């Protein structure tokens, strides 16, 4: 299989930001213990509700906890839930969507109806009800719940993609060779969908981060430290009224940045899959401008040469 | 030398390999193929000429078992074929070549994969070495020489004509007895087309294949085929040995097709050779 | 017949790429269209024929740029103008009234949500401002009947017409403001043979009656030989041979033209074995130093690989081949 690296600058920046946060999620807690020599829960009573300083780079909370430590610890909670829920959602979406689209017939109708039903359920309210019912779910459980709610949109999109694949000549040609349907699906068709699936996975991850943040903010996301959890705590302790912006702004920014990163990647993916956008892309526009300048210069040179 | 000279009439003796008997096929209200009977003989190229919507592609797809006929049946060696169930054995005998060489190959798979899957499905080769050798053999049979040079290429590194040859090589590697060629040259440049037609003729002559050549281009049908069937509105309106159909068309529609086809040798100055330009 | 209507000189078109060098889709093209003449351009895919056509009509889109040369057009009762350097505003005054275009895909050219009449009305309103409403309706009906479509079909939407009718509607639309030149890009490729014949006959008949010039671009040389007065053959972005239709058919000078002519099986002559042309067209990003056709040419010699042949005039035609130069 060929792996093509995305050429678009937007996709690269988006992917960079995304990978950066994944990295922070992995090594953040390690930095907290081994570099900062503290924990997210440790209270420094010499600096309560203090602004950023050399000692506490991002200030402290009303109980003297280091905000940077919380941010780094929280990255793990948020990113882990995002990744796991995204994986669950995409696995379900691919299984249901691609099977439905490629098989067609009654299987398609049943699976599609099921996806439609799940999709019409208001997912966040469903999440609140389930999470509230389970009462302080573990990090694994909340990932699973989020994943189970987030898949139908992706399934419908992949179904459409798989349907178009089924209509392509190359799959018909493979049937005429005598290749079995599941092999055509797994070996021949799936590689065409990996690009779309990975872009959708990214989106699902961020949706998972958002959902988890929402639950944690409402206090039903369990007791794991996460960005939503930190913002929720800040809200409970009146950080906004007290003007402790260093407490709630950084985790909020992190969430927003992740959202922006996926948006960038999706723009790029659109450009690749939609040729009309490709020619309007900034790269081609710039190249055209350069070309026009160059030609104008060439022409004026020619006229100068003619007059000289 | 005419086609008839190249192809002694004896080849038509014997029984048909593949046959459609009273076949009909409808999509909703529209009848695409209406009570058509057509037999394909070994070592014979049968051309099916018609315009878009005449039902010629539907008939090919009925032969390829992509659709189930609403009436009539498809017979292989005189035995009815079912469109249900596994068809691997059938596809080992009957192969199809598609119109668009840019979409009939998976763009993400190397040529080696394309051909070796066909070999593997029909148990024609096992082991990497034997498979590669066979793949090269079939690539060279379609004049892609040296074959080894193409093994690791992707379809989009090849031209349309080369891709169509790959498609044909894939079909031939199954060692079929019938080739269904659905407009195999209509997406190709003129300079490449004749090469593909010559390749199909070679399969008839050397392997004794029965070929169904579907086209809208009656001149190419005359060039290639032993027998021409003209199809219109889902029915075969005329069928005759090639030269007879071209020189003495009976059905008005055949006459219309012949009159409409571009043919520079018929222009006023071409039929009037005096005043040679040089 | 001697007044030059459109004249391209050393016209070059490149495709600008984001990185890497530009791709020369058309190089140094000289082309002349006289008033009332049918000129055909034949070429295969990537020969540059469509690029040339969009450059001549200034319909090209990024990333194509006209990188050199001029296109002189002589409007009725006016001084010659250069289409390449003209502003969009000046150009729009020439469109429809002086020069109109018929494209391959009628469905893509006609607006699917308005009636045929509305589309004729738009053009007539813009370029025949003095025309009254009833005159416009009458003119639309007249134009449709000219191409063999009943006048009452003007109230139809494009999707209600057959493919052939849509194509003929486009031709009628192109004729709406009596242009001197109609540029046609494969106008019959999407329709069946019988309809193609009807459309071509209609074009010939109207051309004889109204006297406009036609620039006809197609991949189908056999069709062009029957239709055109003069033919230019393109290969790898350059014109490799020009000549009268008869000369191209009877005595082609360039080996590619010969090969292309022999690529069409005849219908009325006896069938003989046709060899076709071996090999594949060159990659425009990586053209050979010498003749672009040399790798596929059976007559090539050393010089073909080192030096690109220029178009050499012979009689009323020209060919870019070292063999022709040798003939001298």
């Amino acid at each position: 299989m060929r792996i093509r690296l995305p050429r678009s600058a937007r996709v690269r920046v988006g992917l960079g930001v995304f990978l950066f946060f994944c990295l922070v999620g992995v090594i953040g807690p390690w930095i907290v213990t081994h570099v900062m020599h503290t924990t997210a829960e440790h209270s420094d009573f010499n600096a309560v509700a203090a602004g950023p300083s050399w000692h506490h780079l991002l200030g402290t909370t009303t109980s003297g906890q280091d905000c940077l430590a919380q941010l780094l610890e929280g990255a793990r909670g948020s990113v882990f839930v995002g990744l796991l829920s995204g994986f669950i959602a995409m696995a379900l979406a691919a299984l249901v969507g691609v099977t439905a689209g490629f098989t067609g017939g009654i299987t398609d109708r049943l699976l599609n109806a099921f996806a439609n039903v799940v999709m019409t359920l208001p997912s966040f309210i469903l999440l609140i009800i389930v999470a509230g019912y389970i009462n302080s779910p573990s990090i694994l459980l909340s990932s699973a719940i989020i994943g189970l709610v987030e898949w139908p949109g992706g399934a419908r999109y992949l179904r459409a993609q798989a349907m178009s694949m089924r209509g392509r000549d190359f799959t018909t040609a493979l049937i005429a060779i005598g290749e079995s349907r599941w092999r055509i699906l797994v070996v021949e068709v799936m590689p065409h969908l990996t690009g779309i699936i990975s872009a959708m996975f990214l989106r699902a991850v961020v949706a998972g981060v958002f959902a988890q943040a929402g639950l944690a903010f409402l206090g039903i996301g369990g007791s794991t430290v996460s960005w939503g959890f930190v913002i929720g705590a800040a809200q409970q302790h009146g950080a906004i009224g007290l003007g402790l912006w260093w407490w709630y702004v950084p985790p909020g920014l992190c969430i927003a940045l992740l959202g922006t990163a996926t948006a960038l990647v999706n723009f790029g993916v659109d450009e690749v899959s939609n040729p009309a956008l490709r020619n309007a892309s900034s790269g081609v526009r710039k190249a055209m401008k350069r070309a026009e300048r160059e030609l104008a210069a060439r022409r004026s040179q020619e006229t100068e040469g003619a007059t000289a | 030398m005419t086609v008839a000279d190249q192809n002694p009439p004896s080849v038509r003796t014997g029984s048909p390999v593949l046959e459609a008997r009273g076949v009909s096929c409808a999509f909703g209200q529209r009848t695409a193929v209406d009570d058509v009977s057509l037999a394909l003989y070994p070592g014979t190229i049968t051309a099916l000429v018609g315009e878009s919507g005449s039902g010629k592609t539907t008939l090919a797809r009925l032969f390829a078992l992509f659709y189930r006929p609403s009436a009539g049946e498809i017979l292989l060696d005189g035995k009815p074929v079912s469109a249900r169930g596994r068809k691997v054995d059938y596809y080992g005998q009957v192969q199809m070549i598609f119109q668009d060489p840019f979409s009939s190959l998976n763009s993400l798979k190397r040529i080696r994969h394309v051909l070796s899957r066909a070999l593997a499905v029909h148990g024609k080769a096992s082991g990497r070495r034997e498979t590669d050798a066979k793949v090269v053999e079939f690539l060279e049979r379609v004049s892609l020489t040296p074959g080894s040079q193409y093994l690791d290429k992707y379809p989009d590194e090849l031209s349309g004509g080369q891709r169509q040859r790959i498609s044909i090589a894939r079909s031939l590697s199954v060692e079929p007895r019938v080739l269904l060629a659905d407009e195999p040259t209509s997406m190709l440049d003129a300079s490449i087309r004749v090469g593909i037609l010559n390749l199909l003729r070679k399969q008839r002559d050397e392997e004794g294949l029965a070929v169904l050549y579907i086209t809208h281009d009656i001149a190419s049908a005359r060039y290639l085929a032993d027998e021409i069937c003209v199809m219109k509105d889902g029915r075969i309106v005329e069928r005759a040995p090639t030269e007879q159909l071209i020189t003495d068309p009976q059905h008005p529609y055949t006459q219309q097709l012949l009159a409409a086809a571009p043919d520079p040798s018929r222009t006023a100055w071409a039929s009037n050779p005096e005043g040679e330009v040089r | 017949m001697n007044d030059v209507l459109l004249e391209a000189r050393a016209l070059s078109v490149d495709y600008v790429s984001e990185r890497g060098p530009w791709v020369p889709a058309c190089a140094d093209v000289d082309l002349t269209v006289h008033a009332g003449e049918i000129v055909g351009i034949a070429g295969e895919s990537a020969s540059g024929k469509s690029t040339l056509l969009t450059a001549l009509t200034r319909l090209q889109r990024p990333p194509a740029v006209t990188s050199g040369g001029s296109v002189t057009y002589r409007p009725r009762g006016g001084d010659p103008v250069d289409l390449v350097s003209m502003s969009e505003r000046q150009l729009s005054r020439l469109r429809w009234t002086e020069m109109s275009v018929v494209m391959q895909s009628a469905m893509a050219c006609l607006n699917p949500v308005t009636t045929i009449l509305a589309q004729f009305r738009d053009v007539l309103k813009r370029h025949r401002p003095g025309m009254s409403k009833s005159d416009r309706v009458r003119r639309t009906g007249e134009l449709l009947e000219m191409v063999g479509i009943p006048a009452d079909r003007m109230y139809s939407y494009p999707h209600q017409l057959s493919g052939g009718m849509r194509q003929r509607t486009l031709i009628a639309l192109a004729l709406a403001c009596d242009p001197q030149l109609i540029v046609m890009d494969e106008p019959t490729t999407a329709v069946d043979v019988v309809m193609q014949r009807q459309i071509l006959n209609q074009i010939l008949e109207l051309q004889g009656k109204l006297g406009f010039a036609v620039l006809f671009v197609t991949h189908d040389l056999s069709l062009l030989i029957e239709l055109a007065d003069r033919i230019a053959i393109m290969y790898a972005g350059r014109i490799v041979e020009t000549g009268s239709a008869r000369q191209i058919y009877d005595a082609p000078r360039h080996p590619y033209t010969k090969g292309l002519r022999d690529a069409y099986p005849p219908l009325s002559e006896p069938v003989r074995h046709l060899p076709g042309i071996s090999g594949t067209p060159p990659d425009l990003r990586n053209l050979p130093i010498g003749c672009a056709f040399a790798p596929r040419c059976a007559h090539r010699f050393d010089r073909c690989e080192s030096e690109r042949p220029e178009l050499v005039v012979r009689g009323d035609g020209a060919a870019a081949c070292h063999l022709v130069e040798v003939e001298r």
Side-chain angles (χ1 to χ4, degrees), chain C residues 139-153:
Chain C
R139 175 79 177 140
T140 303
E142 204 178 279
L143 285 161
L144 287 177
E145 280 180 345
M146 226 152 53
V147 295
I149 299 175
D152 59 352
R153 294 310 291 262

Side-chain angles (χ1 to χ4, degrees), chain A residues 140-224:
Chain A
L140 285 176
L141 201 53
S142 29
S143 307
I145 300 166
I146 295 170
L148 284 173
V149 173
E150 301 276 355
W151 63 270
R156 280 179 48 111
Y157 189 67
L158 284 175
R159 169 176 173 263
Q161 291 291 325
M163 276 171 95
S164 87
M165 286 286 162
R166 189 173 53 144
R168 296 255 192 107
D169 271 358
F170 83 83
T171 50
T172 319
L174 284 162
I175 290 170
I177 288 295
E179 194 78 278
S180 71
R181 284 197 180 244
W182 76 265
R183 228 198 121 98
I184 295 176
L185 180 62
V186 175
V187 179
E188 309 275 345
V189 170
M190 270 314 230
H192 286 267
L193 300 177
T194 45
I196 295 164
I197 290 180
S198 27
M200 286 171 64
F201 170 67
L202 215 63
R203 218 178 324 177
V205 169
V206 174
V209 171
F210 282 11
Q212 197 276 340
L215 291 181
F217 179 80
L218 295 173
I220 46 177
S223 54
T224 323

Side-chain angles (χ1 to χ4, degrees), chain C residues 147-149 164-172 195 199 202:
Chain C
V147 295
I149 299 175
M165 270 198 195
R166 284 199 288 262
Q167 207 63 49
R168 283 183 286 162
T169 303
L170 269 196
I171 293 172
M195 180 52 67
I199 292 177
Q202 225 141 33

Side-chain angles (χ1 to χ4, degrees), chain B residues 6-7 11 42-45 137 140-143 172 176 198-211:
Chain B
Q6 289 172 1
N7 183 39
V11 293
T44 306
I45 298 179
E137 179 196 324
E140 296 190 345
R141 196 184 285 181
V142 296
S143 307
L172 293 179
N198 291 341
L199 181 62
L200 290 175
R201 170 178 296 162
K202 197 174 102 183
Q203 304 315 313
R204 172 198 71 187
D205 294 345
E206 290 176 9
E207 312 290 324
L209 256 65
V211 180

Side-chain angles (χ1 to χ4, degrees), chain B residues 1 51-52 159 189-192 194 198 216 219 222-223 246 256 260-267 269 274-275 277, chain C residues 44-45 192-194 196-197 222 225-226 246 249 263-274 277 279-280 296:
Chain B
M1 187 165 66
E51 304 203 318
S52 49
S159 69
D189 276 328
S191 68
I192 309 291
V194 198
N198 291 341
H216 64 271
R222 179 194 181 211
Y223 177 71
I246 299 292
Q256 207 182 354
D263 184 13
S265 58
R266 275 192 313 217
T267 49
W269 40 261
E274 65 188 71
V277 176
Chain C
E44 300 181 280
S45 44
D192 282 320
V193 196
V194 175
Q196 165 172 298
R197 174 62 58 186
S222 68
I225 287 171
E226 286 185 60
R246 177 168 190 178
Y249 178 71
Y264 295 91
L267 259 181
S268 38
E269 285 176 358
V271 174
R272 59 194 166 88
H273 179 78
L274 302 176
I277 305 177
T280 51
R296 301 174 74 184

Side-chain angles (χ1 to χ4, degrees), chain A residues 7 12 15 50 97 145 154 156 205 227 248-249 253 261 274 279:
Chain A
R7 287 236 315 256
R12 287 183 174 177
L15 278 178
I145 300 166
R156 280 179 48 111
V205 169
W227 294 333
Y248 57 86
V249 168
L253 266 182
N274 186 346
N279 275 349

